[in-house]
Amino acid sequence: MSEHTQLADIQDKEHLIARYNAYPPKWVTPTIQLSVWRPEDREHIFRYMNMPEIHPFLSGPPFPYTLEDSDFWVTTGFERTSKNGTPLDLCIRDMTKGGLLIGSVHVGDQSDENLDGDDVGYWLAPEYHGQGIMTKALKLMLYESAVKEFGKRKFNAHAFVDNWASRRTLEKVGFVHQPDREASVVKNGQTLKMWVFRMYLSEEDVTKQEAVAEVVPLHSLSLEQ
């Protein structure tokens, strides 16, 4: 690789990081915000990914989850973007606690013809369950990124069998369980069955989705931005 090519690669990376860091946050509720990963998130994600209320329900992250895993995830956030530079993976933050990381939500930008993987991924701190936060965050992320920008109309998702909380979240967003489809994943040496969900949006559905808009933050919080 030539010195000129190396310099160009560095400049491209710096440009991508700058675009990523400049991505404006999105308000899910008057106190809950979606925004990009920050260095100070490393210890929080380390703690959450090792919690027994969270890690058994995630198919991707390693376990035990190390601080090195946290560093890798946080510092490579700018790589999890669309071809237009839109983040595909955002943090969920409690702005009444200084922007504390309390979860994350991910959407895919794969073609509608590719329905083998997961088009969504998410987790939320246990103390925030039952408040409708994840349903709102997932709807907002899906519409603003996958539907509006990428033009996706077909989505695939999974949840571990008997993870009824995750199933209810997906169904509230619009996903439908596919009883004729089966999936499994190997986790900690065990093969675990997964439910398969699909969501197909018509243009009429997309028009209705336009009603899913950002909320206005509390006045005191908006002044802190």
Side-chain angles (χ1 to χ4, degrees), residues 24-172:
K26 298 179 181 297
W27 290 92
V28 179
T29 76
T31 61
I32 301 297
Q33 189 185 85
L34 292 178
S35 67
V36 299
W37 291 90
R38 304 191 301 228
E40 58 266 33
D41 295 326
R42 69 185 294 268
E43 293 188 4
H44 298 297
I45 188 174
F46 165 73
R47 178 170 63 90
Y48 283 128
M49 290 298 101
N50 286 299
M51 289 180 66
E53 299 92 341
I54 293 179
H55 76 77
F57 303 103
L58 302 178
S59 60
F63 181 80
Y65 199 86
T66 67
L67 281 173
E68 287 74 20
D69 293 324
S70 295
D71 288 334
F72 174 80
W73 191 256
V74 171
T75 58
T76 58
F78 70 92
E79 296 179 357
R80 298 188 296 277
T81 59
S82 71
K83 61 182 179 181
N84 295 324
T86 299
L88 300 175
D89 179 50
L90 291 178
C91 295
I92 304 174
R93 302 187 185 281
D94 185 344
M95 301 309 293
T96 67
K97 297 182 178 180
L100 176 70
L101 171 71
I102 62 169
S104 74
V105 58
H106 165 86
V107 298
D109 62 346
Q110 297 293 320
S111 164
D112 279 349
E113 304 308 314
N114 183 359
L115 287 176
D116 294 328
D118 272 308
D119 287 312
V120 298
Y122 48 88
W123 63 269
L124 187 67
E127 59 268 31
Y128 290 87
H129 289 185
Q131 301 178 37
I133 293 173
M134 187 54 71
T135 300
K136 294 174 183 176
L138 192 52
K139 278 185 177 181
L140 181 62
M141 190 80 166
L142 277 170
Y143 176 70
E144 289 295 324
S145 298
V147 174
K148 191 174 179 180
E149 181 180 344
F150 313 146
K152 280 182 67 63
R153 298 293 184 269
K154 300 177 182 178
F155 299 88
N156 196 58
H158 297 90
F160 286 116
V161 170
D162 292 333
N163 184 355
W164 291 98
S166 186
R167 175 168 176 164
R168 283 193 293 271
T169 294
L170 289 170
E171 290 177 337
K172 287 178 182 177

Side-chain angles (χ1 to χ4, degrees), residues 191-202:
T191 300
L192 304 176
K193 293 183 179 180
M194 304 190 81
W195 285 319
V196 179
F197 299 84
R198 292 278 172 88
M199 180 169 68
Y200 301 98
L201 298 178
S202 66

Side-chain angles (χ1 to χ4, degrees), residues 165-219:
S166 186
R167 175 168 176 164
R168 283 193 293 271
T169 294
L170 289 170
E171 290 177 337
K172 287 178 182 177
V173 170
F175 282 86
V176 178
H177 177 228
Q178 307 294 301
D180 58 329
R181 297 181 181 274
E182 296 182 353
S184 62
V185 65
V186 177
K187 182 178 176 69
N188 298 329
Q190 291 184 304
T191 300
L192 304 176
K193 293 183 179 180
M194 304 190 81
W195 285 319
V196 179
F197 299 84
R198 292 278 172 88
M199 180 169 68
Y200 301 98
L201 298 178
S202 66
E203 292 308 312
E204 182 180 356
D205 293 327
V206 172
T207 300
K208 291 179 181 178
Q209 285 284 345
E210 292 180 358
V212 180
E214 281 190 80
V215 299
V216 177
L218 290 179
H219 182 64

